[in-house]
Amino acid sequence: MQKQFDVAVIGAGAAGMMCAAVAGQRGKKVVVIDHATKLAEKIRISGGGRCNFTNINAGPQNFLSQNPHFCKSALSRYTPQDFIGLMKRYRIGYHEKHKGQLFCDDSSEQIITMLKAECDLGNVSWRMPCSVANIGQSGDLFRIDSSAGEILANNVVIATGGLSIPKIGATDFAYRIARQFDLRMVEPQPGLVPLTFDSAAWQPFLPLAGIALPVEVATGDKKSRGEFKEDLLFTHRGLSGPAILQISSFWKSGTPLQLNLLPEVDIAKTLTEGKSSIKKNLGNVFAQWLPTRLAHGIIEANKLDPAARLADTPDRLLRDLGSAINRWAIQPNGSEGYRKAEVTLGGIDTKELSQQSMVSNRIAGLYFIGEAVDVTGWLGGYNFQWAWASATAAGLAI
Ligand code: FDA
């Protein structure tokens, strides 16, 4: 079995396979190593099995990083249109679902098969399942001590992703390698994750579990503010749905979220001004705008009776009700963690890497790509776009 390669890519996920294909097709001898038995498990489960593989509007504004400029170079050199072009060459059908998000018509398996075919065109070798115990250096070569024996490579690409969903093989491998080579890290934390609340404080909201509605949500100060208009979902432990997954990446522990449960209606103004002409009771007034269970829950939480007539309710109480709906400030006590997070925020500090090639500024031949790096996309196909773009940048540079 061949032992020496130009490139060893560790991690056969989205970024690793893309990088191997690009480098292999440029004539480099490439081996991909992964401890899993199956390729790219996260592509397989993504987008409900249909993989939201990119977002046609993806740009640097859709990514979080301590250095928001770092991702610009790679993203501008490998765009959503480039990946769409690849999909078209393989005749994989796709459609836009929501706000520029592109999904496969049939199955995310098609993308895995496509990336494998691209790797085959580059004569990529595979070591799977194969675990890596250690990476050392001798002269210009990296020495990889693996369960498939020693592998030598001039370049090593770390594409082992982040910590989310450990049950399908996520590990801290990239961070351990960063520590070993003394590279700085931005503290990892779960992103795109449901948020939880103190169980006693959440008690009154338990009957609302399962209710979904479009909302506006915001958090943070001027320097790092997140604002999204998306659907919110009440759960037994807290809040979820796209609005919450998006805002979770911006949320800092100990700070509140501001929620507008009815962005289209200024409740206090509508009720106080229209009160004399509206003959209904409070419950019926709100049921025209909000799911009934939620409307009654909010009215009762404000110590009002849904059966009370609007016309008899004092303006002061209606203004309080308006605030509770249009400006609900609520403080999560945490998140569902890596078990449920779609991504990991933080990772290898971009100060350590070249934005053109993803190579370490200090260790020649050592590259980090994909989710392992401190570049995290919003929900909506952005994280795969970063995987493709950062992988291509490295694959072209090696
Ligand atoms: P990725 O995690 O894909 O691959 C890492 C690889 O490294 C894996 O094959 C793993 O087995 C391997 N590995 C890990 N540790 C190792 C070790 N110690 N030794 C050897 N191998 C090791 N994004 C998006 O844009 N659109 C979407 O629809 C979704 N949907 C989605 C759903 C769910 C449930 C999750 C959890 C995530 C998403 N994402 C997403 C995020 C997206 O999946 C993620 O950002 C990319 O897969 C990251 O690609 P990477 O190649 O960097 O890591």
Side-chain angles (χ1 to χ4, degrees):
M1 196 151 55
Q2 189 180 346
K3 202 177 130 168
Q4 188 164 338
F5 296 87
D6 298 319
V7 192
V9 177
I10 306 181
M17 287 179 82
M18 186 77 175
C19 179
V22 172
Q25 289 181 29
R26 289 178 54 243
K28 302 288 171 184
K29 269 196 284 174
V30 183
V31 63
V32 180
I33 305 166
D34 199 297
H35 67 169
T37 47
K38 279 183 170 173
L39 293 168
E41 199 61 51
K42 278 199 189 155
I43 297 182
R44 189 169 287 108
I45 63 167
S46 66
R50 293 224 162 98
C51 187
N52 176 196
F53 57 86
T54 193
N55 191 302
I56 46 175
N57 305 314
Q61 70 281 0
N62 306 114
F63 293 85
L64 289 95
S65 171
Q66 288 217 332
N67 176 3
H69 304 292
F70 180 84
C71 61
K72 287 182 178 169
S73 170
L75 289 175
S76 68
R77 286 180 296 134
Y78 192 88
T79 66
Q81 289 308 325
D82 290 316
F83 197 80
I84 291 168
L86 187 60
M87 298 277 287
K88 284 185 175 158
R89 285 213 299 286
Y90 281 79
R91 299 181 193 283
I92 301 176
Y94 63 88
H95 59 278
E96 182 181 342
K97 211 165 166 183
H98 173 65
K99 296 188 176 173
Q101 301 168 5
L102 300 189
F103 287 75
C104 296
D105 287 343
D106 295 329
S107 160
S108 46
E109 280 296 342
Q110 294 171 292
I111 292 187
I112 302 173
T113 306
M114 172 181 82
L115 292 173
K116 175 66 169 56
E118 284 290 291
C119 286
D120 290 344
L121 287 176
N123 291 315
V124 170
S125 302
W126 302 89
R127 301 286 183 273
M128 279 181 74
C130 173
S131 55
V132 174
N134 185 45
I135 301 180
Q137 283 181 294
S138 48
D140 287 349
L141 286 177
F142 289 95
R143 232 176 341 90
I144 300 168
D145 185 6
S146 84
S147 57
E150 186 179 66
I151 296 165
L152 301 171
N154 300 89
N155 302 277
V156 169
V157 180
I158 308 293
T160 49
L163 297 171
S164 37
I165 326 275
K167 80 165 188 263
I168 58 162
T171 70
D172 66 350
F173 186 83
Y175 313 150
R176 276 188 270 138
I177 296 300
R179 255 179 262 127
Q180 176 191 335
F181 286 97
D182 211 12
L183 307 181
R184 281 164 294 182
M185 292 270 306
V186 174
E187 186 61 26
Q189 54 171 308
L192 301 182
V193 64
L195 296 174
T196 56
F197 295 83
D198 175 76
S199 57
W202 198 248
Q203 207 64 25
F205 301 100
L206 285 182
L208 305 181
I211 290 179
L213 72 162
V215 302
E216 276 174 9
V217 62
T219 195
D221 51 23
K222 268 197 199 129
K223 241 174 64 198
S224 68
R225 187 161 175 82
E227 279 179 348
F228 293 93
K229 204 169 178 175
E230 288 282 1
D231 282 359
L232 168 97
L233 173 69
F234 285 85
T235 73
H236 285 107
R237 285 166 50 82
L239 295 173
S240 186
I244 294 302
L245 299 189
Q246 294 283 31
I247 208 72
S248 71
S249 295
F250 291 80
W251 176 69
K252 304 265 183 297
S253 178
T255 66
L257 302 178
Q258 289 89 42
L259 276 159
N260 185 346
L261 298 178
L262 203 47
E264 315 309 334
V265 186
D266 181 337
I267 297 285
K269 187 164 181 278
T270 309
L271 294 187
T272 52
E273 287 176 4
K275 152 176 186 183
S276 52
S277 59
I278 302 173
K279 303 278 173 256
K280 294 176 184 170
N281 67 33
L282 282 178
N284 287 341
V285 172
F286 278 91
Q288 67 185 315
W289 295 314
L290 292 169
T292 313
R293 254 191 306 153
L294 176 61
H296 283 217
I298 294 172
I299 294 167
E300 284 161 4
N302 278 267
K303 310 219 170 359
L304 287 165
D305 179 0
R309 274 165 39 96
L310 172 66
D312 298 339
T313 312
D315 285 0
R316 177 179 52 82
L317 297 181
L318 293 178
R319 279 194 289 271
D320 289 349
L321 209 45
S323 295
I325 293 170
N326 291 134
R327 285 179 299 283
W328 185 25
I330 184 162
Q331 190 157 314
N333 72 349
S335 80
E336 296 278 7
Y338 291 116
R339 202 173 49 89
K340 291 268 180 81
E342 280 203 11
V343 287
T344 303
L345 294 157
I348 315 306
D349 193 327
T350 58
K351 288 192 202 88
E352 299 287 358
L353 307 176
S354 151
Q355 58 185 350
Q356 267 78 41
S357 66
M358 307 292 135
V359 73
S360 158
N361 293 326
R362 288 193 275 155
I363 314 290
L366 181 63
Y367 295 71
F368 290 86
I369 58 175
E371 201 179 309
V373 179
D374 172 35
V375 173
T376 308
W378 294 2
L379 184 75
Y382 304 103
N383 285 294
F384 279 131
Q385 187 57 35
W386 171 246
W388 318 135
S390 59
T392 303
L396 290 175
I398 291 169

